[in-house]
Structure formats: C-alpha cells, structure tokens
Amino acid sequence: MVSLPNNQSFKREDILHQIKDEQLTWDILVIGGGATGLGIALDAVARGYKTLLVEQSDFAKGTSGRSTKLVHGGVRYLAQGNIRLVRQAAVERGLLLSNAPHLVKNQTFIIPVYNYRDKWKYTLGLKVYDWISGILTFGGSVFISRKATIESMPNINANGLLGGVLYHDGQFDDARLAINLAQSIIEKGGCAINYMKITGLLKDENQQINGALIEDAEAGERYKVKAKAVVNATGVFVDAVLQMDNATGKKTICVSQGVHLVLDKKFYPSDHALMIPETSDGRVLFAVPWHNKVVVGTTDTPVEEASLEPQALENEIAFILDTVSVYFIEKPRRSDVLSVFAGLRPLAVPQKGKQKTKEISRSHKVIISPSKLFTMLGGKWTTYRKMGEDMVNRIEKELNWPHKKTTTASLHIYGYAKRVNWNDPLYFYGSDTPKIRQQINENENEWISEKLKIHEMQVVWAVEHEMARTVEDVLSRRTRALLLDARESIRIAPAVAKIMAGELKRDDEWVRQQVDYFTKLANGYTLK
Ligand SMILES: Cc1cc2nc3c(=O)[nH]c(=O)nc-3n(C[C@H](O)[C@H](O)[C@H](O)COP(=O)(O)OP(=O)(O)OC[C@H]3O[C@@H](n4cnc5c(N)ncnc54)[C@H](O)[C@@H]3O)c2cc1C
C-alpha cells in the first residue's frame, strides 16, 4: 500500500469531499491536467498554497500524452536562432533528469550524413548545442565513422553514407510523468482530480474572478468552488475558457497537429534515436526507441478545430512512411504500423504577420485578463516546471501576495528512484515497482497481455493508486498499450474492463459500454 502524509488520498471520494466543502477558499485553482497545469499546480502546492487542479477528462488525455517523448533543448530551435529557449530547455532537461530519473533518460541520437556540407553543418551545429548546455550537457557530440554508424544503426541506408553525428538529449514517458505529477500534487497536500470540467467562471461585484463552476463528468453533479486565483492551463482549449471570461475576446492560440507512427523494433533495431534534420517540408523527424518499439514523427499541420481525440490525416501518415523509407533498408508499410496517434500544439498566435506554424516560437507566455484570469500560452513538456514557476511568480506579483520561493527545481517527483533497469517492463513505476512486482509474483499466472507485459495487478494498481477511471485511462496512460500496439489493446480491453468493474463496483452494463467505447476509439489508432 502507498501511505501518504497529511491524510491525503488518491481516492476520488476523498478528493471530492474536499471539493464539496463550500467553506473552503482555494488559493489557486488550476484548470487543465496536462503538463502546463500540473507544473503550475505542483509549483503552487510546493510553495504552500492551497491548490486544486481539475481536468475535464484524464490527466494527459490531451497533447501531453501524445508528444514525441523527448526532453530536449530542441536542435531545431537552435537552427531558428532561439538560443534563449534552447538554453532554458537545456537547464530544465537537467532538472527533470535529476527529479524524475525513473522516467527520464539520457538518449543518444545519430544524424546520418550523406554529404560533406551536412557533415560540417551538423558537427559544428551540435558543438554549439553542447556549448549552450554548458555543465548541464548530457554528453558531448561527436562525428562517428561510416562503419560505426552502420553498426550503431542496423537497417540504415548505407548508400552514399559518410558517417553520423552523435549527440545527447533526453527521452521520457509523457503520460506516466503526468500521472506522477498529479500524485506529487496530492502527496504535497494539494488536490488533483480528473473527470471534472470547468463550465463557467465566478466573479465578484468588481468583476474580478473569484472561483469557478465545475461539473463532475461521472456523477453529473455541479459545484461552485471559490479561489483567490484561477489559472487557465487548457492547452489548445485556452480560448474556450477565455471566452467564459470575455465572450468578445480575441483568438490567442493557433493549433498545429503532429502525428506519430509506432513501429516494431525490427525496422530500427538500435538503442540510438535517429534524427532526420531536414525533411522535404523543412522540419525534423525522429525515430525514437520507446518501450521496446520505435516512435516515428512528427508532422506540423495547421488545424482549425481543437479536439481531445485528433485524427491523423492520410497525407501525414504517407509523409512519415515516405520520409523514413529513404533512410531504412527494410521499409515499413502501412500494415506494419502498430499504432498511429496525433497531438495538437497550442501555439501562441504570433504578433507580427502571418507565420507558418513550424516557425512560431515554442516559448511560453503568461497573459492576465482585466478580471484576473491567468492564462498560460504555448510552451513545451520539457519546460513545464519553469512554466509553473513563472506562472506562480506572476500570480504573487499581480495579487500582491508576499513572494515565496519556488522549490520545484530540486523536488523529487512521485516515483523517484535512482536506480532504473530500463529493460524491466515495470521500470516506469519507479519506487512503486517492488510493490507491484510483489503483487504480480503472488498472482503469477494472471498476465492479460504477455506480448506487452501487462498484468492483472497493474490494472488493480492503476485504479487504487493512480486515479484510473476508465479502460482508456489504463490502456492509454497508466500502461501505454494503446500507443504501443492498438490491436493488442483492443484484444485485452474486455479483461481490463472486468477487473476495473470489480474494483470500482460497476455492473455488466458499465463493462459493455467501456469495451464498446474503447474499441471504437482504438480503431482510430489502427491503419486499415
Ligand atoms: C506532436 C507533438 C509532439 C511534441 N513533442 C514534444 C516533445 O517531444 N518534447 C517536448 O518537450 N514537448 C513536445 N511537445 C509539446 C508538448 O507536448 C506540449 O507543449 C504540452 O504537452 C502542452 O501541455 P498543456 O498542458 O498545455 O496542454 P494539454 O496537454 O492539452 O492539457 C490541457 C488540458 O486541459 C483540459 N481542459 C480543457 N478544457 C477544460 C475545462 N473546461 N475544464 C477542465 N479541463 C479542461 C484538457 O482536457 C487537457 O487535458 C509536442 C507537442 C506535439 C503536439
């Protein structure tokens, strides 16, 4: 069992109990349970503020569970001359590795080079990248020979290959980090709840925001919560919340979609990630080893509508397959794709003129409305902690609160474990791994998926300790089955639903609905 200080609990009933307390005024109410909201809420609670975070769906259901899984300074941003962002991200990359070493690792990348211009361009460019990272570097970059490149990257197209530029960056599990951040918020004495939607904002007689209306997506009940500061951290949905404050407000966000394909490791049987620095549309493309599979992406397609379940476009899928096929000897086909997932970038609308989405800065920006709604725009997973720190500093300043120093730079995130065996299929539970392993050992025969190494006890654990409420929560974000092998996740959904029904005291109708819903959703992650 997990024991928490301050009578805190991961149980929904216990969290709801605090939300229902009408006498309570929260210091900070954060709307949105993605990287941005979780980073802000953790910074706030760690400074001692009474903090509540509400997420309309599940933690990391939005963009934060659909990233390329890189903790990186962003070689691409260096090419754009955004040295400040690269330096900031390099600092945060180092902090994240030391605060969540169970989820973040030092990852080597190789850029294969086929002409002398690229050899010098990337060798020198990555030296600048090393230099910007300074003592926070994950390791120096180096040019490696043609022979070493072929040995390091079996299946790489060796035709005309001169060698490779090897450099270091970070790699992580995005949704697992989000769950651990929610657990850290609770562990520190705050509240974080999923399936709880903000439907309106409350204002005092001076038209200043002093709370919000929230709706429990499970029970349908509505509550009023009072708060001294309300933060809009809803990613691509920020404009919808800004409209609740001011129906005539201008658009602040533009949305760009990025797609990833997941392939079997046989197409890229390497421990080094592949970095393709210049695709035909002038972007970068990665093939990153992840949970014994390879994640390939991404694209940058402007979209009009924000959605929680964006769909990959045919031309994006074809673009990724065509691009990697230039670099792989054995070329992946559509039928080889194990899963396809799309995410939406919340990009701050540029001030000067029209820019292509790939050129818009990934830096974050705080805006404060006249009614004192605090909104965070843009940003990256890598810089989520700094975004949290900046937002809480701005709240303190704007509301004339005495400044309390942030403590998140050295705060160990829930699950912190220094020694990690990355080949252990349970590695991502960090300090909880031994407890889960013990339960698995006691019920040895109950593997739900031998292929993905998912055990019945992981489902029970997800419900009891990780706030999982639906089959999708377990298969998409507590385990990563949906992203790793969508068809296998559909196969095991009925078994997962049955176990969850036992834990959550649900009936057969719930099981049926969950399996139907999940199957339909997961079909969207498969390619016909
Ligand atoms: C394809 C792609 C790849 C990326 N790769 C990387 C990478 O490798 N490394 C990196 O550092 N960054 C990466 N990023 C950027 C990073 O993923 C995002 O910047 C980050 O996840 C955004 O987090 P967020 O919390 O702002 O948004 P989200 O994760 O979308 O969270 C917003 C949340 O708000 C909730 N919400 C909305 N309205 C309400 C409401 N009314 N009430 C309650 N909740 C509400 C939503 O349900 C959602 O969960 C990538 C982005 C994309 C799109």
Side-chain angles (χ1 to χ4, degrees), residues 98 385 420:
S98 56
R385 190 212 64 83
V420 187

Side-chain angles (χ1 to χ4, degrees), residues 174-214:
D174 49 9
R176 288 294 317 177
L177 181 59
I179 305 305
N180 285 169
L181 288 170
Q183 290 171 307
S184 288
I185 291 164
I186 293 172
E187 196 180 36
K188 289 271 153 207
C191 274
I193 189 163
N194 49 7
Y195 298 101
M196 190 64 78
K197 182 176 179 165
I198 295 282
T199 55
L201 297 168
L202 302 173
K203 291 183 180 172
D204 65 16
E205 59 284 1
N206 299 318
Q207 292 306 302
Q208 300 295 289
I209 289 174
N210 64 358
L213 292 169
I214 60 178

Side-chain angles (χ1 to χ4, degrees), residues 31-37 54-58 60-64 66-72 172 196-198 233-237 241 244 256 258-260 298 308 343-346 378-382:
I31 317 170
T36 308
V54 292
E55 163 55 50
Q56 65 176 353
S57 174
D58 186 25
K61 161 74 180 179
T63 307
S64 299
R66 300 154 185 271
S67 78
T68 314
K69 332 297 181 201
L70 300 180
V71 183
H72 59 161
F172 78 131
M196 190 64 78
K197 182 176 179 165
I198 295 282
T234 53
V236 289
F237 303 98
V241 176
M244 292 178 194
S256 137
V259 164
H260 298 90
T298 177
L308 269 181
L344 301 179
R345 294 178 191 86
K380 285 155 62 75
W381 237 124
T382 307

Side-chain angles (χ1 to χ4, degrees), residues 30-38 40 54-56 62-64 196-198 231-244 252-253 255 306-308 344-346 373-378 391:
V30 180
I31 317 170
T36 308
L38 290 161
I40 295 166
V54 292
E55 163 55 50
Q56 65 176 353
T63 307
S64 299
M196 190 64 78
K197 182 176 179 165
I198 295 282
V231 178
N232 175 10
T234 53
V236 289
F237 303 98
V238 287
D239 285 333
V241 176
L242 281 162
Q243 293 265 319
M244 292 178 194
T252 62
I253 275 285
V255 180
S307 144
L308 269 181
L344 301 179
R345 294 178 191 86
L373 175 64
F374 295 85
T375 299
M376 180 64 87
L377 302 180
M391 176 57 92

